[in-house]
Amino acid sequence: MTDHLPRRQVLRSAGALGLGAVAAGALTSPAGAAPAATTVASMGSHHGRLSIRKDPFGTTPEGVGVDVYTFSNGRVTVSMLTWGATIQRVETPDRRGRTENISLGFDNLPDYAKLSPYFGATIGRYGNRIAKGRFSIDGNSYQIPVNDGENALHGGTLGFDKKVWKAKVVQTSSQVGVAFTYVSPDGEMGFPGTLTTTVTYTLDFDDDLRIDYHATVAGKPTVVNLTNHVYFNLAGEGSGSIEGHVLELNAPSYTPVDSGLIPTGEIAPVAGTPFDFRRPTAIGKRLREDHPQLVIGRGYDHNFVLGGKADHDGLRFAGRFTEPESGRTVSVRTAEPGAQFYSGNFLDGTFQGIGGKTYRQGDAFAFETQHFPDSPNQPNFPSTVLRPGQTYSTRTIYSFGTK
């Protein structure tokens, strides 16, 4: 029986992850001697050389191979899987030049399939929640499988995070990365229309990881809300709580939620609440205040409405996280109207990540740029409807640095 657990908590059954009759344990990852890697590109200068390589990572029960692409600018290194177009590792230096992996993940495919609470995954068709998994377009009603109590979360029981994407290396003289493509057929997870999605991740010499999302739909209109669910701890993956991280958000308002974490429809000001991060504030400073919204979410798990106007490139500053001891920072700019800030409330210490490190409550944060949750059922929220002939196109940039 599928366990319907709270948001972010681990789904325990292989069936709930869409692995079919074959046990998730049949998934394999390379063991023993490391297989030969494929070096795809190497060029450039500045921090070092732009480089990218491909290695086998595992095989699904259906016999589909999963690869890991590792690309670097000589300072920042990113590893990504074709499973879920997933960010597995992000290695960055601290202010003293000591490099650590700052992204939560696993070192094998079976754990991603059985345990992962969306670590680093590309989320689709619809990031975040749809109330009761139901919505209508042009008078036609659709039902998405529920997987979060009575609601649908991150595309239903078998979202884009559990698909093997096609990958193509992207390289120029100034950036390197991978373009991932997945074609979702009409009716998959109850969504209408055949959706073709390409998400391109590139790293440049400015230590910017750029994510470009593009999608088109054929046959019927659909709803689309793509994002990435990378979990960060800027002190280093598995190093402990992120409550000391300092957060600055360009968000004058947020969308309060009901007991099922579905937005009520209100767009509420953050002023005078624990949700006001317009000035840099430690994440843990007000985390345990007796605010009804913090009680509902077991911490921060809310969509923030971004403020200000976009720059000439169509992006605006969304937020900046700083870890004082290491000095590491990550700043986020996006074309999206909102971002979900999640303080790792449902990490429960029941599994081990990369290097055998255990992840506990509050050991990481996620910052998912997005349209608002449940937008298909909230007429006052920006629309997420994509029609044939239209192109879904949006960009988010994670900029890594130190101070």
Side-chain angles (χ1 to χ4, degrees):
M1 178 181 293
T2 300
D3 292 326
H4 296 305
L5 301 179
R7 171 162 170 80
R8 325 285 179 166
Q9 223 168 344
V10 176
L11 291 174
R12 301 297 179 190
S13 81
L17 290 167
L19 297 176
V22 181
L27 287 151
T28 62
S29 287
T38 301
T39 300
V40 184
S42 182
M43 65 182 72
S45 61
H46 185 64
H47 296 312
R49 296 176 63 84
L50 291 179
S51 62
I52 185 166
R53 57 181 280 164
K54 181 178 75 170
D55 293 280
F57 188 76
T59 305
T60 71
E62 295 76 24
V64 179
V66 173
D67 295 320
V68 54
Y69 286 81
T70 301
F71 48 98
S72 178
N73 64 7
R75 175 179 169 88
V76 174
T77 300
V78 179
S79 296
M80 295 197 66
L81 310 177
T82 53
W83 173 273
T86 293
I87 297 173
Q88 184 206 22
R89 302 173 64 97
V90 178
E91 300 175 31
T92 67
D94 65 10
R95 66 163 65 94
R96 297 177 180 85
R98 297 174 298 192
T99 297
E100 295 278 354
N101 171 38
I102 61 171
S103 171
L104 273 60
F106 298 105
D107 58 10
N108 64 88
L109 185 56
D111 280 353
Y112 274 105
K114 292 190 295 183
L115 302 176
S116 181
Y118 306 101
F119 283 153
T122 297
I123 302 297
R125 287 188 192 189
Y126 198 94
N128 219 302
R129 290 178 177 78
I130 297 176
K132 298 183 179 180
R134 301 172 188 165
F135 64 92
S136 297
I137 303 176
D138 300 336
N140 297 308
S141 298
Y142 301 96
Q143 177 69 59
I144 312 306
V146 299
N147 59 336
D148 183 54
E150 64 178 7
N151 303 314
L153 174 66
H154 293 333
T157 53
L158 190 59
F160 289 4
D161 58 295
K162 301 174 187 72
K163 302 295 184 179
V164 179
W165 296 55
K166 293 184 178 179
K168 180 180 179 181
V169 169
V170 174
Q171 59 184 36
T172 69
S173 60
S174 60
Q175 62 181 2
V176 64
V178 183
F180 296 94
T181 299
Y182 176 69
V183 179
S184 175
D186 178 31
E188 184 174 62
M189 288 290 99
F191 289 98
T194 298
L195 188 76
T196 300
T197 300
T198 297
V199 185
T200 304
Y201 292 79
T202 51
L203 178 67
D204 65 18
F205 285 127
D206 293 324
D207 299 339
D208 290 348
L209 179 63
R210 190 172 78 182
I211 311 174
D212 288 295
Y213 302 88
H214 293 275
T216 57
V217 68
K220 303 172 185 175
T222 193
V223 292
V224 183
N225 190 24
L226 303 176
T227 190
N228 183 278
H229 207 302
V230 62
Y231 287 68
F232 286 124
N233 184 320
L234 299 181
E237 167 263 345
S239 64
S241 173
I242 49 87
E243 290 189 19
H245 285 49
V246 175
L247 171 59
E248 178 185 0
L249 286 181
N250 174 27
S253 53
Y254 76 111
T255 53
V257 295
D258 64 18
S259 60
L261 297 179
I262 295 294
T264 63
E266 179 186 9
I267 295 178
V270 299
T273 78
F275 295 85
D276 191 350
F277 287 94
R278 290 175 293 174
R279 293 183 178 180
T281 304
I283 290 172
K285 182 176 181 180
R286 298 166 300 191
L287 180 63
R288 304 190 187 280
E289 288 188 8
D290 190 24
H291 188 284
Q293 287 292 304
L294 292 178
V295 173
I296 288 173
R298 303 190 190 182
Y300 296 105
D301 193 2
H302 294 76
N303 172 67
F304 285 79
V305 179
L306 301 180
K309 294 183 179 180
D311 293 336
H312 65 280
D313 57 2
L315 306 181
R316 54 183 164 175
F317 172 71
R320 179 179 297 107
F321 296 80
T322 303
E323 201 286 303
E325 185 172 342
S326 68
R328 290 189 184 91
T329 65
V330 59
S331 299
V332 183
R333 299 173 66 237
T334 187
E336 289 296 287
Q340 186 88 2
F341 168 49
Y342 169 56
S343 53
N345 316 322
F346 293 104
L347 296 173
D348 61 5
T350 57
F351 51 79
Q352 294 181 331
I354 295 173
K357 297 175 182 177
T358 298
Y359 304 144
R360 296 178 173 86
Q361 185 180 46
D363 278 359
F365 68 87
F367 193 66
E368 306 148 66
T369 57
Q370 61 180 14
H371 272 56
F372 305 165
D374 199 37
S375 288
N377 298 308
Q378 303 281 355
N380 60 318
F381 288 179
S383 175
T384 55
V385 173
L386 178 69
R387 298 182 179 277
Q390 297 178 333
T391 299
Y392 174 100
S393 181
T394 187
R395 174 179 295 171
T396 291
I397 299 176
Y398 290 91
S399 299
F400 302 103
T402 57
K403 64 177 296 184

